[in-house]
Amino acid sequence: DARVFSECLRMTQSLVKLALPCNLIDNDLISILIKGLMLNKTITQLDLSHNRIGESGACKLGKFLLHTKILTHLDLGDNCIHYQGSRYISQGLRLNKRLKSIS
């Protein structure tokens, strides 16, 4: 269940890389996962490539990028993020000084 996994993300103290490519993650699932990621203090690399994240999911990711202080690498390749979604993400990147790589 995504809610249980999100809770585990919140509590983990050793995980630094989370790779979830090809998991059919859509806008609803990314919203649930972000709740755990917002409180996570260890994950620096996040791979969400080859999923079904669209515009509203990109909006949630943009807000996440505004708040995360530890994420250094983010892979969003091959999702359903278009112009408006990329604008949401770019707004999150404006204040994010830690992210070194995004694809």
Side-chain angles (χ1 to χ4, degrees):
D1 179 62
R3 285 173 180 73
V4 173
F5 186 66
S6 180
E7 183 66 19
C8 290
L9 291 176
R10 184 183 72 76
M11 295 187 306
T12 185
Q13 296 180 5
S14 59
L15 187 67
V16 294
K17 181 177 182 178
L18 180 61
L20 296 171
C22 305
N23 275 281
L24 304 176
I25 297 171
D26 59 12
N27 295 323
D28 294 331
L29 285 175
I30 197 64
S31 294
I32 294 167
L33 292 177
I34 285 176
K35 289 177 183 175
L37 289 169
M38 290 287 268
L39 299 172
N40 179 279
K41 297 188 182 350
T42 60
I43 295 175
T44 59
Q45 300 176 46
L46 181 59
D47 181 355
L48 295 170
S49 62
H50 307 286
N51 281 292
R52 296 181 179 172
I53 301 168
E55 306 302 319
S56 65
C59 179
K60 302 280 188 206
L61 283 165
K63 291 177 183 176
F64 168 67
L65 290 172
L66 280 172
H67 294 98
T68 184
K69 303 290 187 239
I70 60 168
L71 194 67
T72 59
H73 298 82
L74 176 62
D75 188 347
L76 295 172
D78 193 27
N79 275 284
C80 303
I81 300 170
H82 301 289
Y83 176 74
Q84 189 60 42
S86 63
R87 288 191 58 177
Y88 293 134
I89 291 170
S90 67
Q91 288 171 355
L93 292 173
R94 274 185 324 163
L95 299 175
N96 186 308
K97 304 297 183 210
R98 286 283 287 167
L99 199 66
K100 295 177 180 160
S101 170
I102 186 169
S103 57

